Amino acid sequence: MNAKPALRDWYRHRRQQQSVSTSTIEASVLGLLQSESSQTEVIGLYWPLPGEPDLRALRGVINAPTALPWADGAGGLSYRVWRDAALEPDGCGIPAPAAGPALTPDKISLLLVPALAVDQHGVRLGYGGGYYDRLRSDPAWAAVPAWVVLPSACLSPSPLPREPWDVPFTGWITEQGAGRPRSGTA
């Protein structure tokens, strides 16, 4: 039996129950950027779905260009620089830059990724489309520091189901700050 659908429902409900200030999570992200990024090329953000921390205001605060993911609707994900041009729905209906080339992993210094949950090993529970899993299965993309952004109520105290293709994330960012996977457990 696959436990992921039930876990997704449980963490969606848990996220809706917790009121988290976006500005608190933004402060945690800014703290991470100051401590982690020395040579910042482009920072990969995401367009928030309902209930996800909204990091869009960071564009005006961070001293680096930003990019958004472009999903093709068939499992492929790429990042494009987010300029002031109007965004268009991607293959999943999420606003994204429609123009411009896909960025290569060496052009992105940090990815901030949404999630329903993450465990102490850095294993992320996503929405079930596998877009980030496929992207990060490429060793070049897996080498890009990638942080899950979510409310602290969605930190799983127990290991989440892990598939052979899951690449643990660098860490997570909540309203309480940044955390990293336990060493030797990922």
Side-chain angles (χ1 to χ4, degrees):
M1 178 179 137
N2 189 347
K4 284 185 177 182
L7 283 169
R8 284 185 184 102
D9 289 342
W10 194 82
Y11 278 106
R12 269 190 195 99
H13 178 72
R14 190 157 170 82
R15 185 170 63 189
Q16 291 168 352
Q17 298 296 316
Q18 185 182 25
S19 174
V20 175
S21 164
T22 296
S23 63
T24 309
I25 290 182
E26 284 177 359
S28 294
V29 170
L30 289 172
L32 174 78
L33 292 174
Q34 289 172 350
S35 67
E36 297 287 313
S37 295
S38 55
Q39 282 294 95
T40 303
E41 294 251 359
V42 176
I43 296 174
L45 298 177
Y46 59 86
W47 191 270
L49 297 177
E52 290 178 344
D54 186 347
L55 304 179
R56 293 176 290 181
L58 289 174
R59 285 184 73 207
V61 178
I62 57 177
N63 191 21
T66 55
L68 287 174
W70 174 272
D72 64 9
L77 187 71
S78 61
Y79 277 83
R80 296 179 183 173
V81 173
W82 184 8
R83 303 195 195 290
D84 291 329
L87 302 175
E88 296 181 16
D90 66 8
C92 294
I94 300 170
L103 295 170
T104 56
D106 62 310
K107 298 296 181 200
I108 296 188
S109 35
L110 182 80
L111 293 176
L112 299 173
V113 177
L116 291 170
V118 67
D119 68 19
Q120 295 298 313
H121 307 288
V123 174
R124 172 186 174 266
L125 179 66
Y127 294 89
Y131 286 89
Y132 286 104
D133 294 326
R134 280 185 281 282
L135 179 76
R136 297 187 74 239
S137 69
D138 176 333
W141 279 104
V144 175
W147 293 76
V148 175
V149 181
L150 71 176
S152 61
C154 296
L155 294 175
S156 177
S158 304
L160 292 169
R162 184 175 180 179
E163 305 298 338
W165 54 82
D166 285 333
V167 177
F169 280 74
T170 308
W172 51 88
I173 303 169
T174 72
E175 72 282 4
Q176 297 176 355
R180 289 184 181 267
R182 294 179 186 156
S183 63
T185 59

